[in-house]
Amino acid sequence: MSKITSYTRPAGAKEAVGVLARFKGRAVIFGGGTGLVKSLPSGVTAVADLKYAGLSYIKRDSKFLTIGACTTFTDLLQSPVIRNWAGGLVYEAAYRISSHLIRNMGTLGGNMVRPYPFNHFPVVLAALNASAVVARPGKTETVPVEKLFEKPYAEELGRKWVLVEFKIPAGTEKFSGVFDKVAKTESSWENIMLCAAVLEHKGGVCRSLRVALGAAVAKATVLPAAEAVLAGKKITAELACEAGGKAAAQAGQFNSLSAPAQYKKEIAPVVIRRCILAAAGQGAR
């Protein structure tokens, strides 16, 4: 059982990194707190509360849609920019997070810094080809969001390093995006499968496609095999079916969280195909 002896409110990401360094592994970052309050790591004696760190914002310019790490899901839902971005992909993923209370408290950064397989946004931001800005001792770096799911980021974020913001390429604004969630109930956190597809197409011909799968696999995974099937071709039900099958095969080993691995293996091609066709305007979202 941890005993908290220090509570600080850093004024920015750089100051927060300094707090983490000062306590040498005994401090954690507090954003929305929806996960941390349930599972405070053993040995932690200090908390750095990011509420006043200035990391809650949604900005856009000619290059990026930039979202601060402390932006809540409710903030996303209330943004006119988010509502229409990539066909409403980010909005849909935020809306389908478990409950109103969680959406009010939970933050985008928190959903990413501990990328449990069930979380919505690792899949969504990976499909949008987003980057993450990370503050480390003495420097700030920008990396593809997929890096956050691997070592050393998965181990150091929130303990030594701090997520600052996410950058989504401005070009994806007019793309067609679809988010699909397979779960026992709509409010379930323990999802069976998550899929996000971001498609650029003209006249029914695929120009680019990013498909990402989550919950059913160990970490959010981009599946380029889907684009390899469809790139430069007119999107049909038959090609979408082929793309779904090859992408599912590329996903590798399915886990047994929330449902049997064999079941996930069988439905993955269907879920991916459905997302592709919906993004192309040929099926229900």
Side-chain angles (χ1 to χ4, degrees):
M1 183 73 177
S2 296
K3 182 178 180 181
I4 302 301
T5 59
S6 175
Y7 174 82
T8 61
R9 289 178 169 176
K14 183 178 179 180
E15 186 176 331
V17 171
V19 172
L20 295 178
R22 187 163 73 250
F23 283 91
K24 299 179 180 179
R26 293 179 289 109
V28 291
I29 291 295
F30 184 94
T34 57
L36 189 61
V37 295
K38 297 187 296 183
S39 56
L40 193 66
S42 177
V44 168
T45 60
V47 172
D49 187 344
L50 295 184
K51 183 177 181 180
Y52 299 96
L55 300 180
S56 177
Y57 49 82
I58 299 170
K59 305 174 183 178
R60 62 182 297 180
D61 58 29
S62 60
K63 293 183 178 180
F64 297 105
L65 169 65
T66 304
I67 306 174
C70 288
T71 303
T72 68
F73 305 124
T74 296
D75 291 334
L76 294 175
L77 293 173
Q78 292 176 345
S79 167
V81 174
I82 294 298
R83 178 177 285 274
N84 297 309
W85 199 278
L89 172 63
V90 177
Y91 181 93
E92 181 75 7
Y95 181 77
R96 296 179 72 179
I97 281 175
S98 59
S99 71
H100 183 71
L101 290 175
I102 295 297
R103 293 193 291 271
N104 281 345
M105 295 174 61
T107 64
L108 183 58
N111 206 247
M112 297 293 293
V113 75
R114 291 289 177 265
Y116 299 108
F118 304 131
N119 287 359
H120 289 192
F121 279 93
V123 169
V124 170
L125 294 185
L128 284 166
N129 198 25
S131 299
V133 178
V134 177
R136 301 171 59 172
K139 70 173 183 177
T140 299
E141 63 176 354
T142 302
V143 298
V145 292
E146 293 98 314
K147 285 267 190 184
L148 304 185
F149 318 146
E150 305 169 353
K151 295 180 180 180
Y153 297 90
E155 295 176 341
E156 306 295 2
L157 282 168
R159 298 301 295 268
K160 293 183 180 179
W161 307 343
V162 175
L163 267 176
V164 179
E165 62 187 19
F166 300 93
K167 292 185 173 295
I168 299 171
T172 63
E173 180 177 6
K174 301 301 182 183
F175 289 4
S176 179
V178 170
F179 173 77
D180 199 9
K181 167 180 175 173
V182 180
K184 292 178 181 178
T185 68
E186 182 59 26
S187 63
S188 292
W189 175 64
E190 296 182 349
N191 302 299
I192 294 170
M193 185 171 293
L194 299 168
C195 184
V198 177
L199 172 69
E200 179 189 13
H201 65 104
K202 185 174 182 180
V205 175
C206 173
R207 288 186 168 183
S208 68
L209 172 67
R210 280 178 69 91
V211 172
L213 200 68
V217 288
K219 60 185 179 181
T221 304
V222 176
L223 305 170
E227 183 180 41
V229 172
L230 289 165
K233 300 175 184 175
K234 192 171 183 65
I235 301 167
T236 64
E238 292 76 14
L239 280 178
C241 185
E242 181 184 346
K246 290 191 175 180
Q250 188 179 39
Q253 186 174 358
F254 291 89
N255 60 41
S256 297
L257 300 174
S258 301
Q262 183 59 34
Y263 171 69
K264 295 181 180 183
K265 183 178 180 180
E266 291 172 1
I267 69 169
V270 179
V271 172
I272 296 168
R273 181 199 70 203
R274 185 169 62 189
C275 283
I276 294 170
L277 289 176
Q282 298 182 29
R285 289 181 181 269

